[in-house]
Amino acid sequence: MAQSLSVRTLAIKNLQRSPFRTFSMAALVALCSAVLFGSFLLASSLRNGISGMKERVGADLMVVPNGYEQTLESVLLSGEPNYFYMDKDIENIVRNIDGVKDVTSQFYLTSLSESCCDFPVQIIGFDPESDFLIKPWIQKYNADGEDIFAGYNVNVEKNTVSFFSKSHTVSARLAKSGSGMDNAVFANLDTVRKIYDDALEKGFAFISDGNVKEKTSAIFIRIDEKSNADTVALKIRETVDGVQVIQQGKFIQTLKDKMDSFVFFLHTISVLFLLITVAVLAIVFSLTVFERRREFSILRVLGADRHSLSSIVMNEALFLGTIGSVCGVFVSALILLPFNFLISQKIAMPFCMPSTGTIILFAIISCALLVAACFLSAIRTAIKISKLEVYSESK
């Protein structure tokens, strides 16, 4: 039998001979691997979410009724059903302000009845003629008819969704962005009005009167290249009373700062776990030297050279690192992947899972780092074992 095979066999037998110690060390490696993989996945998802939010918002300024900045943020970040209204005439006033290039508005329909829908969802009405937020994310768009467009996370069965006991055909699904818009349903203003009228006939109650011609919820603005967002925002505040102007740059920057703090915390925890794992494994490997001196001395008597003895220890580290890291990545993926929607709601930040290829890459990197950590923790013990003398240790 080849020497390399015999070394690996001995390493496996040694691990099997002390099942509790092996399990404990593998469990520690698995825990560290799960934390490391989880931090990679969460950090990437948050970065993707911020990027998707920036692209999906697509407006330099957002105008809402005074005091509803946080409410709009909850709609954009988590898609939480909410409502607030102001006169639609404000849209025309804003459109005529110097520096404003494009203006569109959205109407948020929210029912007082808990049984309105198959699932909690924000119904958003938009104007197809002026819209520059929704249509770019819809691959198939028909300006005519009662089109319903579903966010990426909305549960659509047989291309239909049900509101107020009536089914509606979903014409298209929006591409994933990681923002709260993934949890919303979109329709043109005429369709929203029809949904409202159908619901009233069935006895459902609403906060507003559903007057999409005279009311709107939020106004989104793109400014021209020569204008400054601060200047245009100031002009809007001076021209229109009772509104609050939110700047996309500051809004996104606030989210980015929160994300950076959270990601820094994740990476700090991961590094801490990695250092603890290396230290604990090094101590355990070192403590096993004394009880295994006779075993290694016998191997020396049987003809094993110093390199073979150290190889046994390093192979044990390899098996522990591989098994532990793979199990840790698997458990972490089992928790994070199916429940990523719930996680995004709990942390209240834009959240978009990376591609399958990126996830696999994170898994490989996590396993490689943990195997390297196991090797590092076993080096001192392997060197010490290789220096054992046959005669002195066999006495």
Side-chain angles (χ1 to χ4, degrees):
M1 186 177 295
Q3 183 178 357
S4 59
L5 179 61
S6 121
V7 166
R8 292 174 183 172
T9 303
L10 284 171
I12 294 173
K13 294 292 184 182
N14 288 334
L15 293 175
Q16 291 175 341
R17 191 174 58 184
S18 304
F20 177 76
R21 184 181 65 198
T22 301
F23 174 80
S24 300
M25 296 170 73
L28 178 62
V29 174
L31 178 60
C32 183
S33 176
V35 171
L36 192 62
F37 176 72
S39 71
F40 285 148
L41 204 56
L42 291 174
S44 178
S45 298
L46 288 171
R47 291 192 182 97
N48 291 343
I50 293 292
S51 177
M53 167 65 80
K54 187 175 181 180
E55 293 179 12
R56 179 61 60 88
V57 170
D60 301 303
L61 300 174
M62 297 168 278
V63 179
V64 295
N66 201 21
Y68 284 95
E69 178 180 2
Q70 297 297 324
T71 309
L72 177 64
E73 288 182 7
S74 69
V75 173
L76 295 177
L77 293 177
S78 62
E80 179 183 345
N82 256 308
Y83 61 93
F84 44 92
Y85 304 103
M86 57 186 170
D87 291 336
K88 194 172 177 63
D89 291 339
I90 296 175
E91 183 179 349
N92 292 326
I93 295 173
V94 169
R95 184 174 279 110
N96 294 320
I97 291 177
D98 186 38
V100 172
K101 180 181 178 182
D102 298 307
V103 177
T104 190
S105 63
Q106 294 181 351
F107 184 93
Y108 300 154
L109 184 64
T110 302
S111 171
L112 287 170
S113 307
E114 293 183 358
S115 58
C116 78
C117 317
D118 290 344
F119 47 87
V121 66
Q122 176 76 64
I123 303 173
I124 298 178
F126 69 99
D127 182 3
E129 293 183 3
S130 62
D131 175 73
F132 54 82
L133 302 174
I134 310 303
K135 289 193 292 185
W137 290 82
I138 302 174
Q139 296 178 354
K140 172 188 174 184
Y141 179 74
N142 177 16
D144 301 322
E146 299 177 13
D147 282 341
I148 298 286
F149 306 105
Y152 187 86
N153 293 331
V154 174
N155 183 25
V156 178
E157 295 184 2
K158 297 180 180 179
N159 290 327
T160 62
V161 291
S162 183
F163 303 129
F164 311 105
S165 304
K166 184 175 180 179
S167 295
H168 299 268
T169 301
V170 175
S171 300
R173 185 186 291 270
L174 274 69
K176 188 171 185 178
S177 69
S179 69
M181 298 297 94
D182 292 338
N183 310 321
V185 169
F186 303 84
N188 61 50
L189 294 175
D190 291 336
T191 302
V192 170
R193 179 68 197 192
K194 259 199 129 173
I195 292 174
Y196 173 83
D197 291 338
D198 291 341
L200 280 185
E201 292 178 3
K202 296 180 174 61
F204 290 95
F206 289 86
I207 291 93
S208 75
D209 59 4
N211 190 347
V212 296
K213 295 186 181 298
E214 297 182 6
K215 298 289 184 181
T216 191
S217 297
I219 299 172
F220 298 86
I221 303 162
R222 286 198 302 202
I223 62 176
D224 57 45
E225 296 179 357
K226 298 180 180 179
S227 299
N228 179 272
D230 289 321
T231 303
V232 176
L234 180 59
K235 290 179 181 178
I236 294 173
R237 294 189 189 99
E238 292 175 344
T239 307
V240 184
D241 294 327
V243 298
Q244 191 167 359
V245 183
I246 306 167
Q247 295 187 36
Q248 186 224 50
K250 294 181 179 179
F251 174 63
I252 296 296
Q253 187 59 47
T254 300
L255 290 176
K256 189 175 182 302
D257 291 341
K258 290 171 62 177
M259 181 204 71
D260 289 340
S261 298
F262 187 67
V263 169
F264 177 77
F265 171 77
L266 288 176
H267 290 337
T268 301
I269 293 295
S270 300
V271 172
L272 183 62
F273 265 88
L274 194 60
L275 293 176
I276 291 174
T277 300
V278 172
V280 172
L281 291 179
I283 292 172
V284 173
F285 275 122
S286 182
L287 290 177
T288 59
V289 172
F290 181 78
E291 64 181 74
R292 299 175 65 184
R293 290 174 115 180
R294 179 175 293 276
E295 167 196 335
F296 285 109
S297 185
I298 292 173
L299 290 175
R300 289 282 284 127
V301 170
L302 294 176
D305 56 23
R306 298 177 185 274
H307 175 72
S308 297
L309 297 185
S310 61
S311 294
I312 292 174
V313 176
M314 298 307 291
N315 270 273
E316 291 178 15
L318 172 64
F319 292 133
L320 283 171
T322 302
I323 295 172
S325 61
V326 170
C327 289
V329 166
F330 177 77
V331 171
S332 185
L334 205 60
I335 296 173
L336 294 177
L337 297 182
F339 299 105
N340 70 89
F341 176 63
L342 180 61
I343 293 170
S344 66
Q345 287 186 314
K346 292 299 181 182
I347 63 178
M349 292 185 67
F351 191 89
C352 182
M353 278 286 178
S355 64
T356 302
T358 303
I359 294 174
I360 293 174
L361 178 62
F362 287 153
I364 293 173
I365 293 174
S366 299
C367 290
L369 286 174
L370 264 298
V371 170
C374 289
F375 272 129
L376 182 63
S377 62
I379 287 177
R380 183 173 179 274
T381 301
I383 295 174
K384 193 171 182 179
I385 288 294
S386 68
K387 294 180 179 179
L388 288 177
E389 296 295 336
V390 178
Y391 299 105
S392 60
E393 300 301 333
S394 61
K395 291 179 181 178

